[in-house]
DNA sequence: CGCCTTTGACCAGCGC
DNA sequence: GCGCTGGTCAAAGGCG
């Protein structure tokens, strides 16, 4: 029972560590969209001052500061597109009500398979499990996962019209690495953390703009590649080794960019969902 | 008073 | 067909 299916979910998604360097030559809109972010420079998005549209925002003062590239921590992102994207679109159209209904239906009747929503996994080197991302999350479950001594926490966006879910777990390999997986898209622009203002409420996910940009470019890069990189074993514990394709110059470049980060977080890659 | 966290149980999917 | 793991729900308790 060590590694049976491990997690088809994690297997379906890829992860890549991001350099603190920003290229800005990728399409980040897709990533933001998935996060429900419409305006990257939105002041309320990451609790950042409205004066940081440029790729060099001031370091936050909150705990998530440790996520900043300035600190010894890196993050990775993975994304699942294909059917997931379609599912997301569908979910977006249907709305939460439909989703809820669907869930109930599924519960009562197990005939249909619930389409997966787009997922993005971030590997963040941080001491805190919950990082702020500007959204409010409510923890609805925690489960011990195989191959990892750390439990996985399940969060759901508290917004009534948003069914975005988030999983947070620590890497079994590197306890200092927090793996956050977003599922679905935020149907609301900017929740604005009113409660607690800085982490007092539910678990948030810190995603510094800088980091995001990095994520974006890598994600986009991954999307562009569309290569079935094997990162299924990203870490559920076994050996999250990266198999970056030698044919991908971009990948190589990315890896180069990783630099020290690579040492912090085992790189990963994205893998399209089958 | 309202919201969030915690914990246990249940259900569904998948692999063997 | 059985067993295992992941994911979600629901109830209770705690805190602001």
């Amino acid at each position: 029972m060590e590694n049976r299916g491990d997690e088809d979910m994690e297997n379906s998604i890829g992860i890549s560590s991001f350099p603190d360097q920003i290229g800005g030559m990728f399409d980040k809109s897709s990533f933001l969209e998935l996060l429900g972010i419409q305006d990257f420079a939105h002041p309320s998005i990451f609790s950042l001052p409205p004066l940081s549209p440029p790729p060099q925002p001031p370091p936050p003062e909150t705990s998530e500061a440790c996520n900043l590239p300035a600190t010894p921590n890196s993050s990775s992102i993975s994304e699942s597109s294909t059917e997931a994207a379609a599912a997301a679109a569908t979910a977006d159209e249907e709305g939460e009500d439909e989703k809820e209904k669907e869930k109930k239906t599924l519960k009562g009747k197990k005939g249909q398979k619930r389409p997966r929503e787009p997922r993005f996994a971030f590997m963040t080197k941080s001491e805190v499990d919950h990082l702020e991302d500007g959204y409010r999350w409510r923890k609805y479950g925690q489960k011990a996962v195989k191959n990892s001594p750390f439990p996985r926490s399940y969060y759901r966006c508290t917004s009534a019209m948003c069914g975005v879910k988030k999983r947070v777990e620590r890497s079994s390999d590197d306890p200092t690495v927090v793996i956050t997986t977003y599922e679905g898209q935020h149907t609301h622009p900017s929740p604005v953390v009113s409660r607690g203002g800085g982490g007092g409420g539910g678990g948030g996910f810190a995603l510094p703009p800088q980091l995001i940009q990095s994520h974006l470019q890598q994600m986009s890069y991954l999307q562009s590649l569309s290569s079935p990189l094997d990162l299924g074993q990203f870490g559920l514990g076994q050996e999250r080794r990266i198999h970056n394709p030698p044919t991908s110059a971009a990948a190589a470049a990315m890896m180069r960019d990783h630099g020290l980060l690579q040492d912090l977080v085992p790189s990963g890659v994205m893998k399209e969902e089958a």
Side-chain angles (χ1 to χ4, degrees), chain A residues 11-16 221-222 225-232 242-248 251 254 268-272:
Chain A
N11 279 335
S12 312
I13 55 181
I15 289 195
S16 42
Y221 139 69
L222 291 170
L225 282 178
S226 257
S227 305
L229 306 182
D230 177 8
L231 100 77
I242 176 171
H243 307 288
N244 59 320
T247 53
S248 299
M254 184 175 78
V269 262
M270 150 266 202
K271 174 180 177 183
E272 281 193 276

Side-chain angles (χ1 to χ4, degrees), chain A residues 58-253:
Chain A
E61 315 169 62
T62 42
S63 54
E64 68 257 39
C66 18
N67 286 323
L68 285 175
T71 53
N73 76 45
S74 64
S75 62
S76 315
I77 184 176
S78 73
E79 66 109 3
S80 62
S81 45
T82 56
E83 66 171 71
T90 304
D92 193 330
E93 287 182 51
E94 291 183 340
E96 207 217 355
D97 284 333
E98 290 291 20
K99 285 172 82 173
E100 291 273 57
K101 234 190 277 186
E102 184 180 5
K103 190 186 294 182
K104 281 187 158 89
T105 304
L106 284 167
K107 243 192 144 176
K109 148 192 323 191
K110 51 174 181 183
Q112 315 178 3
K113 231 163 112 177
R114 176 171 41 190
R116 282 182 184 171
E117 295 184 28
R119 288 186 297 269
F120 284 83
F122 298 86
M123 289 179 73
T124 305
K125 186 104 171 173
S126 175
E127 309 239 337
V128 295
D129 290 348
H130 304 158
L131 305 169
E132 276 186 58
D133 64 353
Y135 289 90
R136 291 200 299 170
W137 302 90
R138 183 176 60 189
K139 189 175 186 177
Y140 67 88
Q142 183 173 311
K143 202 92 198 278
V145 293
K146 277 174 61 76
N147 301 323
S148 179
F150 308 101
R152 175 183 298 165
S153 298
Y154 298 89
Y155 297 89
R156 180 174 292 169
C157 187
T158 56
S159 188
M161 298 181 65
C162 182
V164 177
K165 282 177 271 189
K166 180 172 84 169
R167 277 182 287 269
V168 179
E169 64 184 284
R170 281 194 176 278
S171 170
S172 58
D173 249 18
D174 293 297
T176 56
V177 176
V178 178
I179 302 171
T180 304
T181 306
Y182 282 93
E183 189 172 326
Q185 298 181 52
H186 286 285
T187 57
H188 46 107
S190 186
V192 180
V193 185
S194 59
R195 190 191 164 78
F205 186 75
L207 210 52
Q210 219 171 6
L211 203 62
I212 287 209
Q213 284 207 346
S214 299
H215 290 180
L216 292 175
Q217 57 177 282
Q218 290 211 15
M219 186 194 72
S220 299
Y221 139 69
L222 291 170
Q223 284 188 326
S224 295
L225 282 178
S226 257
S227 305
L229 306 182
D230 177 8
L231 100 77
Q233 33 192 329
F234 101 70
L236 271 279
Q238 300 267 348
E239 320 191 32
R240 27 189 201 338
R241 244 173 234 270
I242 176 171
H243 307 288
N244 59 320
T247 53
S248 299

